[in-house]
Amino acid sequence: MGVGTWLASTPLPPFIIGLVIGVPSVILYLIEAIILIKHWTELNSSFFRLFLVRFTLNFLNYICSYMYARLGRVGLFYELFQSSPSVVLAIWFTFYYYAFHAENLTTMFILINRLTSILFPLNYIKIWKHLLPLSVMVIVLVPLPFTAPMLTYGFSVRLQADNYTFTLAPNDGPNPLEPSLVSAISAIIFCVICGALNIATLIVYNLKVNDENRSDKLQQKIESKLTIYALITFLGHLFMALYMIAILFCCIFGDGWDFMFLATLNQLPWISDFSTIVVPSWVLLWASNTIRELVTKELRLQEWPMIGQMLLKSKRKITFVTVSSSRSGNT
């Protein structure tokens, strides 16, 4: 048995890996979102608002991914899926692709947010007062023309050769949009635009921030960490974008449903969770002192000496950092 055949016939290990890394991370992600909402007065910067947009997409996509692919790849609830109306299957399928496009756009706007905070520190809040509503509209509306037509497709449950696992897919016939092709094109555009934004951010940061003789060392550290957060989460989503391109490659050269496609599809749980759940949740815990302290307080981790000391590093009262330079808001 070759590696590809083995990967195609063993969907359970990636499913378990997804559970191991995904469940704790999605819980942390949810806690961070609740903390932001609970402390909205202090933590209502444009950066954290975009973070909440990303969280909403990632969280809903995490749930939908179980219905779209994960349960089917381990053969759970086949009868339930088989008896579900086609429109229900279409909703799971459509939202998975919708979330992918929307997450691309969200990542792009987070990078723009970081770039403008460095380029226009004095006008940053004013700029994003107008740009934030526009960015949310773009994130929500732009993917619709490429995904909403999928709701009209006829969907069915396809039982695989092992007579146990199954997949959801449009019925045979002409469809005006090929989901894998559109997603791959979106991924390529995402890589080009966000790659350019990353390069621009790094160049501007090195020229404008590191060369400044600034007395506000705390703010400089905050800027550095939030910029690193944006770059790392971009790399995480880049991993997912490359995965979507690989799916298209398998569809083109593997007739869509042979072992190449199934071997790639089986890796969805851990790749998706790592890219969209693990990276943004845990990196924020590192990047934001305020979020880290509030998570520690809400979960009472200070009562666990080793964990509390690791997260807080020192015992101190939680305070919100108010940025006088009007760059990033509270972090």
Side-chain angles (χ1 to χ4, degrees):
M1 180 184 294
V3 175
T5 304
W6 181 81
L7 290 174
S9 59
T10 54
L12 190 57
F15 182 84
I16 294 175
I17 293 173
L19 288 176
V20 171
I21 68 173
V23 172
S25 299
V26 80
I27 292 174
L28 173 62
Y29 214 174
L30 182 60
I31 292 172
E32 291 171 342
I34 293 173
I35 285 174
L36 285 176
I37 296 172
K38 185 177 179 180
H39 298 276
W40 188 247
T41 304
E42 300 88 358
L43 299 172
N44 63 350
S45 67
S46 58
F47 173 83
F48 281 128
R49 293 187 184 195
L50 287 172
F51 174 87
L52 285 177
V53 172
R54 170 187 268 171
F55 161 78
T56 302
L57 291 167
N58 290 344
F59 184 76
L60 293 177
N61 189 36
Y62 178 78
I63 296 173
C64 286
S65 67
Y66 278 89
M67 310 304 294
Y68 162 68
R70 301 192 194 203
L71 295 179
R73 294 310 304 139
V74 292
L76 294 177
F77 307 113
Y78 172 74
E79 292 79 9
L80 177 62
F81 280 92
Q82 184 68 25
S83 61
S84 297
S86 176
V87 66
V88 174
L89 303 180
I91 290 173
W92 304 129
F93 188 92
T94 301
F95 188 82
Y96 172 78
Y97 284 98
Y98 172 87
F100 174 74
H101 298 304
E103 288 162 6
N104 285 345
L105 293 169
T106 306
T107 300
M108 180 187 72
F109 280 112
I110 287 177
L111 289 170
I112 294 174
N113 181 276
R114 292 293 82 218
L115 180 60
T116 53
S117 73
I118 299 171
L119 280 174
F120 312 107
L122 299 180
N123 297 317
Y124 168 76
I125 292 180
K126 184 178 180 180
I127 291 172
W128 278 93
K129 182 179 180 180
H130 302 286
L131 189 56
L132 184 63
L134 177 62
S135 63
V136 173
M137 288 180 59
V138 170
I139 291 168
V140 173
L141 297 179
V142 168
L144 288 177
F146 307 103
T147 55
M150 299 179 197
L151 293 172
T152 64
Y153 295 178
F155 277 81
S156 61
V157 178
R158 297 186 180 182
L159 193 63
Q160 299 303 310
D162 57 11
N163 204 34
Y164 178 68
T165 61
F166 59 92
T167 54
L168 307 183
N171 295 327
D172 293 333
N175 286 320
L177 293 175
E178 175 57 47
S180 297
L181 176 61
V182 175
S183 295
I185 294 173
S186 173
I188 293 172
I189 295 174
F190 162 80
C191 293
V192 172
I193 295 177
C194 291
L197 286 171
N198 272 304
I199 294 173
T201 300
L202 290 174
I203 293 175
V204 171
Y205 183 84
N206 288 328
L207 292 177
K208 194 165 184 177
V209 176
N210 287 343
D211 291 342
E212 292 180 0
N213 184 17
R214 300 174 56 190
S215 59
D216 192 351
K217 298 298 182 181
L218 175 60
Q219 175 59 20
Q220 187 172 2
K221 185 177 181 180
I222 289 172
E223 291 292 345
S224 299
K225 283 193 170 185
L226 290 183
T227 301
I228 293 172
Y229 169 87
L231 298 180
I232 293 177
T233 52
F234 158 73
L235 293 176
H237 202 65
L238 175 64
F239 189 33
M240 187 66 193
L242 295 176
Y243 174 79
M244 298 301 288
I245 295 174
I247 287 287
L248 175 65
F249 179 85
C250 293
C251 288
I252 293 175
F253 296 100
D255 294 328
W257 298 102
D258 68 353
F259 77 93
M260 288 177 58
F261 179 83
L262 293 177
T264 306
L265 184 63
N266 283 346
Q267 311 312 310
L268 173 66
W270 72 268
I271 290 178
S272 178
D273 287 355
F274 177 79
S275 302
T276 63
I277 301 293
V278 175
V279 171
S281 60
W282 289 99
V283 176
L284 181 69
L285 193 67
W286 165 81
S288 174
N289 292 333
T290 302
I291 293 295
R292 184 166 61 252
E293 292 171 349
L294 288 172
V295 168
T296 303
K297 179 182 178 182
E298 294 291 335
L299 299 182
R300 298 183 178 180
L301 295 179
Q302 65 272 17
E303 298 177 5
W304 298 74
M306 292 184 63
I307 298 177
Q309 187 177 13
M310 179 179 64
L311 290 176
L312 293 177
K313 294 184 179 179
S314 62
K315 294 182 179 179
R316 61 185 183 275
K317 183 179 179 181
I318 295 176
T319 57
F320 294 99
V321 179
T322 303
V323 180
S324 58
S325 64
S326 302
R327 281 196 177 183
S328 303
N330 303 314
T331 62

